[in-house]
Amino acid sequence: MRKPLAAIASAFILSCAPAFSLAAAPVPSADPAVVAAARDMLAAMKVRDMMTNMLAQMEQRMPVQMRSTMTASINGNPNLDADQKAEQLKKLDEATKAAAVQAHTLFADPTLVDDMIAEMVPLYAETYTLDEIRQLTAFYTSPLGQKMQARAPELMARSMEISQRVMMPRIQKAMAQSHQALGGK
């Protein structure tokens, strides 16, 4: 039960947070002035607030999505009789509670957002010039930039819903195919 939950959690996180790069590495040669400007720009973009909100939403949704996906898989398994399905669903309830605790531990870690931002600063520093970063910062502090920031949580939540709506049937189908390939075990 743990391996499928971990697989679903990974798929869910990757589908809901495509901006995260698991292989991001700091750029040691970045100009300190550009790095400082990139930090200022990320602050103007309110990246910390957006990430904190996104992580809170992911924490709430992940156990629900995992349970939904696994319930569909269990109920759709023709190799299980009603009693076996009931037993699997009972185990799933326990696993979902444990996954919720693990998700909370992961997403509530106060260093998580700091670490993600620390990895993002060199990305922006290597992508944009100092002048471009200053222009972006000016935009994000402008009225339109502030409106964009104010609407970002709603847009992100709706984007995540779209992502889930598109991804979950595909994940469920892939899980069912994997389950069948393993002989229904």
Side-chain angles (χ1 to χ4, degrees), residues 69-83:
T69 300
M70 292 302 296
T71 297
S73 178
I74 291 167
N75 287 331
N77 186 343
N79 297 323
L80 297 176
D81 63 31
D83 291 337

Side-chain angles (χ1 to χ4, degrees), residues 96-173:
T96 301
K97 289 175 188 172
V101 169
Q102 289 175 332
H104 177 72
T105 301
L106 171 70
F107 294 129
D109 179 352
T111 65
L112 180 60
V113 173
D114 293 337
D115 291 347
M116 289 190 300
I117 290 173
E119 292 287 325
M120 292 174 69
V121 167
L123 173 67
Y124 283 91
E126 78 174 3
T127 303
Y128 298 105
T129 66
L130 179 59
D131 185 53
E132 290 169 334
I133 291 173
R134 288 179 176 157
Q135 290 177 46
L136 287 166
T137 303
F139 167 74
Y140 285 111
T141 57
S142 74
L144 178 59
Q146 290 298 304
K147 179 180 179 179
M148 183 178 160
Q149 293 302 315
R151 300 300 302 263
E154 175 190 346
L155 292 171
M156 182 167 291
R158 291 177 67 189
S159 295
M160 287 176 66
E161 290 169 6
I162 291 167
S163 178
Q164 290 175 27
R165 188 173 60 242
V166 171
M167 289 294 298
M168 291 315 293
R170 295 173 188 205
I171 291 171
Q172 289 171 344
K173 182 179 177 183

